[in-house]
Amino acid sequence: MNTNHDLNRNTHPNRLVIDRLTVAYQAAADTVVPFEHFSLTVEPGELVLLHGPSGCGKTTLLSAIGGLLTPRAGTITLGGLPITGAAGKRLLRHRRDNVGIVFQAFNLVPSLTAVENVAVPMRVAGASWRAAKQRATELLTQLGLDHRLQHRPAQLSGGQQQRVAIARALVNDPPVILADEPTAHLDHSQIENVRSILRQIADAGRIVVISTHDDRLTEVADRVVRMGAGTPAVAPAAVAGEAAKDELVSA
Amino acid sequence: MIHVSLRDLQWRRRRYVIVVLVASLAFGLALLMSGVAHRLTQEGDDMLALFGADRWVVPESVGGPFSTTQLLPTGELDSLTAQSGVTAASPILIGRTMIDGIGTNVIGYDSASPMLPAKLADARASMADPDAPIVDELFEHGLGDVFELNGHRLRVGAEVSDTAFYFSMPTVWLPLPTVQDYLFAGQDVATAIVVQGSLSPATGDSPVLDVLTNADAQADYDRVLGATSDTLGIINTLLWLMATGVVAAIVYVSVLERSRDFATLKAVGVSNRSLVGGLLTQSAALSLASAVAAVGVAKALSPSFGFPVTMPTAAYVQLLVVALVVGVLASLVGVRKITHIDPALAFGGAA
């Protein structure tokens, strides 16, 4: 893997603060409340793992941070600016500029090449295709995919697709990276690779929040937040670099 | 997101090619229907222009020279030509009969008239027997062929073009007396008297005559074709709807299949507006490609029609406009779907 200065380029003075967040949604006739009054603070440079059983709200929390769903109560702020309550163009700007998301299923657009998949968010942000492709090429090269630039997702292995997805999350240089089960579809060697990349991304001063069942990611985490299914969560006294990484945040 | 949409067209090209082929068949048939309608109208225009008349004198209370079954005595010609404002007048006799099992127009003309159409005068000048039949090029028999008209054997003396009418029914031109003898039992009658110059107002007040303008004569011709034109219009609309349905179905299926892609794009900050623009572009591109292919389809199918089908430039312009409208309409269902896709759907787990 080509470790490089670009992955480590920026420092972000943005603190992510989640304060008494409650999410609820309708599923058939029932109201599902994955978590209530959940609080968490994450400092720049910190890599936080969200651990917990299925249905405990890990992915829902990522969605809320990413501005993809509106919580019932509570607030999320990034660098002091509220994410919750944002709408319209402001919400789009948040998704585009503040957050990069690595999805469990990679979610690469099958008709686009690796370079194009990575370039799309930058193009959306207003860059020319030429500039976006150049930046995408740089990122993919740094992630060891310089020989796969023009390949489509179907022509890439799971690990390669995951690296393309990571490059796409990084292309707009956002201060927050969210990863949902980033190792779910990878084999052992690929996991090692992705784990290392995610750590580098955090070391660059970004906030990295990962939802996972995979205990092997614990080694690279600064903190592990254990979430319980459907029970009120308690905010940890979040401190970056805390000695005891493992925090049980729900009863 | 136009780039993404165009890439998708490339990626799923096989299915899109099939859609374009099916839609182009519908568009092509619609284009042919326009061509047929144009041809029918053009034939009427050609016939009217052929005589160069200012007025058409017909029997009282008939619709016009093309639809009437009533005849007027040619003796009326003398009183008309005697009018000071009339520079020329000529009787015509329009009949229809079967020749070798094919419906044929038979028109009797006044060979001595100054209003004799130029193409007939030229044809007569080229023939050894100037009273021999002059036939339209669509007639079954060509120059020198012998055919039978009501038991009379006739040899084709010359051919002319653009004189077929009523669904390109071929026309046989003969001197007026010949037609009177062969089809009207020797009666000295005409269907109409075409007039150049101006008629006195009293002519229109005659109890046995009506005076029609070219517009009236045109309306009479169109009246005969009215139901056909309406039917062609309905078929055209149905074909356009069919094309819309075909493009809409594939666009919608494509949107359903790409729901995760759209959710992901929304999650990375792409606006609904941008996604909708991409979908519109895709739908319009499919529709326009179908329209372009339809031109080839129409040209390939037109020889199979029993008469020449000419597509006017306006039909091509109309096709492009309709294709654009079809593209937009076809995308509407997909647009609704896209705007309702929840970006959180991107977090689904299956790879």
Side-chain angles (χ1 to χ4, degrees), chain A residues 117-183:
Chain A
N117 263 291
V118 175
V120 162
M122 197 170 163
R123 178 79 184 97
V124 170
S128 66
W129 264 113
R130 186 189 175 92
K133 282 185 176 178
Q134 189 176 345
R135 163 86 171 141
T137 301
E138 288 168 9
L139 278 170
L140 288 169
T141 302
Q142 289 161 18
L143 290 167
L145 290 172
D146 49 320
H147 59 304
R148 289 284 187 270
L149 298 176
Q150 300 305 324
H151 286 61
R152 290 201 165 91
Q155 300 167 307
L156 301 172
S157 69
Q160 289 169 336
Q161 288 187 57
Q162 189 66 295
R163 277 183 275 160
V164 174
I166 290 170
R168 179 177 63 187
L170 289 169
V171 74
N172 281 333
D173 195 18
V176 178
I177 296 293
L178 307 173
D180 184 32
E181 302 286 0
T183 57

Side-chain angles (χ1 to χ4, degrees), chain A residues 59 62-63 68 92 95-96 101 103-105 107-112 116 120-121 124 129 133 152 154 168 180 185, chain B residues 1 3-4 7-8 10-12 260-261 264-271 342-351:
Chain A
T59 301
L62 294 186
S63 294
L68 305 185
L92 285 177
R95 292 175 186 169
R96 195 182 62 206
I101 305 175
F103 298 99
Q104 179 181 351
N107 290 14
L108 302 177
V109 178
S111 60
L112 302 181
E116 289 169 337
V120 162
V124 170
W129 264 113
K133 282 185 176 178
R152 290 201 165 91
R168 179 177 63 187
D180 184 32
H185 299 292
Chain B
M1 286 300 98
H3 182 87
V4 176
R7 278 290 197 210
D8 184 69
Q10 195 180 13
W11 175 244
R12 298 169 209 268
R260 176 77 72 87
D261 293 348
T264 304
L265 291 169
K266 284 186 178 187
V268 301
V270 179
S271 65
D342 182 354
L345 177 68
F347 276 109

